[in-house]
Amino acid sequence: MGFGREKSTYSYFAVAASFTSLPHDSYVRMIVAKTAIIITVADDFFDSFGSLNQLEILTKAVQRWDSRGLSSHSKVIFDALDDLVSEASRKYLQQEGTSDDISRNLKDLWYEIFLSWLIEANWSRNEHKPSIDCYLKTGMTSVGAHLMVLSSSCFLKPTKKLRLTPYEPLTKLLMVISRLLNDVESYQREKEEGKLNYVLVNMMENPEFEIEDSIAFVREIVEKKKKEFLELVLMDGLSDFSEPSKQLHLSCLKVFQMFFNTKNSFDSNTDLVEDINKAIYLPLSRTSKCLSTQTFLKKKHIISKLHMNFQFKHYSKINFSGMRLMTPKIGVGFI
């Protein structure tokens, strides 16, 4: 695409290593990984590459679900998104054997996140300073965690019908925690890029805070929300979600904690090299001889086969057809 982060391998690894309770051929892993990849590409387009006019046109196209008027990067993103929603809808009809169509709900979920990206782009480029509550309301949507768990929950057994807002408490907690984990480890980069962040907005509302005070404040919120989240997951009768749905939420939180535990590992090209090698490429007997970062980078073609044949050209299409997800040979614990 000529901009942004290429995170196909990270998305594959995170889903395959954390969603270990699923059958090895579960479509849940597939849809979560593909959703994460499109979120990353589209988010970067809104953050740093597209003009406000382009972003408004793309958001309206997603709202009406019609690619007329789109070109170049906007058209590539929309076509990949349309392919994913169409594929998921077909899979659901095949799985359930009913006439229920989830495509409208999936489209509404995607429009909600595109709208949140557009709001944030307007804030940054017009130097608008929202209140901390307004920021979090938009930011908990723009991080995309709910989109991954809700769009994939339809494929769990027992099946749960896709529900939209108002989100259940467990989903809302996942959204808030994921946003705050991301913001604590990304505030420096986002400050330099002129973007808003909960740590920075908190300092605007509390001028007496130093950066360390704001970070400590946010981490305290995260720990409190995590306790509430784990109560809903682990205690019977507190959530309307089925056990598989609760475990899916928990797995998603594990992924965000892995990426944003003590630093922003998602944006790094090297932080997860050793774990990816152990989980995917090296037999168990060779894990002690894990490839070095330098070797990994020199042999980048090894992992390129997991990038799902992305064609980063202006008018080309993102092709997901060659992707296969498998359970890794070893487990990796994130919490």
Side-chain angles (χ1 to χ4, degrees):
M1 296 287 277
F3 64 87
R5 299 161 292 178
E6 206 301 293
K7 294 297 177 181
S8 302
T9 304
Y10 273 32
S11 298
Y12 168 91
F13 164 72
V15 175
S18 63
F19 290 35
T20 53
S21 62
L22 300 171
H24 76 277
D25 59 348
S26 174
Y27 181 67
V28 171
R29 291 191 185 90
M30 184 78 80
I31 191 171
V32 173
K34 292 180 179 182
T35 299
I37 293 163
I38 294 180
I39 285 174
T40 303
V41 174
D43 185 35
D44 287 346
F45 184 61
F46 274 75
D47 274 350
S48 59
F49 193 82
S51 67
L52 276 179
N53 184 55
Q54 288 175 315
L55 304 183
E56 288 170 359
I57 291 172
L58 177 55
T59 303
K60 289 178 181 178
V62 173
Q63 181 182 27
R64 65 176 188 271
W65 213 263
D66 186 335
S67 64
R68 286 177 298 175
L70 299 180
S71 61
S72 190
H73 301 91
S74 296
K75 182 71 162 56
V76 173
I77 291 169
F78 182 88
D79 285 348
L81 182 55
D82 186 43
D83 284 349
L84 177 58
V85 170
S86 298
E87 175 197 296
S89 300
R90 288 195 304 270
K91 288 278 188 181
Y92 184 78
L93 291 175
Q94 293 170 5
Q95 172 182 295
E96 298 303 310
T98 69
S99 59
D100 290 342
D101 184 4
I102 62 172
S103 61
R104 184 65 263 169
N105 284 346
L106 289 175
K107 291 173 182 177
D108 289 344
L109 278 173
W110 277 103
Y111 170 62
E112 181 185 48
I113 194 172
F114 271 75
L115 183 60
S116 71
W117 290 332
L118 180 61
I119 291 171
E120 290 179 342
N122 272 292
W123 285 346
S124 296
R125 298 177 198 194
N126 294 316
E127 298 184 354
H128 175 68
K129 295 180 175 59
S131 68
I132 198 164
D133 290 337
C134 184
Y135 169 80
L136 188 57
K137 182 179 179 181
T138 301
M140 63 189 280
T141 300
S142 67
V143 75
H146 69 300
L147 183 57
M148 289 182 275
V149 295
L150 294 180
S151 61
S152 59
S153 65
C154 307
F155 300 93
L156 295 172
K157 296 294 184 179
T159 302
K160 179 175 177 61
K161 189 174 180 62
L162 181 59
R163 285 180 55 183
L164 303 181
T165 52
Y167 298 120
E168 294 193 25
L170 183 61
T171 304
K172 291 178 70 174
L173 283 168
L174 175 65
M175 296 165 73
V176 170
I177 296 169
S178 300
R179 167 49 64 196
L180 296 182
L181 284 172
N182 182 309
D183 281 12
V184 166
E185 302 304 332
S186 305
Y187 76 89
Q188 187 62 48
R189 173 180 58 81
E190 291 178 340
K191 180 180 180 181
E192 294 169 359
E193 295 175 357
K195 290 186 263 184
L196 291 171
N197 178 291
Y198 194 91
V199 172
L200 303 175
V201 175
N202 187 38
M203 291 181 66
M204 296 176 193
E205 293 207 352
N206 298 279
E208 72 280 7
F209 274 15
E210 299 291 339
I211 191 68
E212 293 80 7
D213 300 321
S214 187
I215 292 172
F217 178 82
V218 176
R219 284 180 173 155
E220 188 175 324
I221 296 174
V222 168
E223 291 307 311
K224 178 182 176 182
K225 296 298 181 184
K226 272 197 214 174
K227 290 178 182 178
E228 296 175 20
F229 178 91
L230 290 173
E231 285 180 359
L232 293 178
V233 170
L234 301 176
M235 297 181 68
D236 295 335
L238 296 184
S239 172
D240 292 334
F241 280 116
S242 66
E243 186 62 27
S245 294
K246 291 192 290 185
Q247 290 301 317
L248 187 67
H249 281 70
L250 179 59
S251 294
C252 190
L253 178 59
K254 289 179 181 180
V255 169
F256 273 89
Q257 180 149 306
M258 175 193 69
F259 283 139
F260 305 104
N261 186 23
T262 57
K263 57 183 175 180
N264 186 341
S265 294
F266 188 72
D267 288 350
S268 169
N269 291 324
T270 58
D271 280 357
L272 299 180
V273 167
E274 184 176 353
D275 288 335
I276 290 173
N277 273 312
K278 287 180 178 179
I280 299 175
Y281 300 111
L282 298 181
L284 287 176
S285 60
R286 295 178 54 200
T287 54
S288 61
K289 299 178 182 179
C290 185
L291 298 177
S292 67
T293 298
Q294 292 75 18
T295 304
F296 180 84
L297 294 176
K298 288 178 182 177
K299 296 186 177 182
K300 193 174 181 180
H301 65 278
I302 295 176
I303 66 169
S304 64
K305 61 186 177 183
L306 294 178
H307 289 175
M308 305 185 321
N309 299 325
F310 268 41
Q311 301 297 317
F312 291 152
K313 301 294 182 183
H314 281 239
Y315 294 96
S316 60
K317 196 173 187 179
I318 299 177
N319 175 15
F320 288 120
S321 61
M323 183 177 183
R324 294 186 301 164
L325 289 182
M326 300 176 292
T327 304
K329 295 181 180 178
I330 65 170
V332 180
F334 299 136
I335 289 186

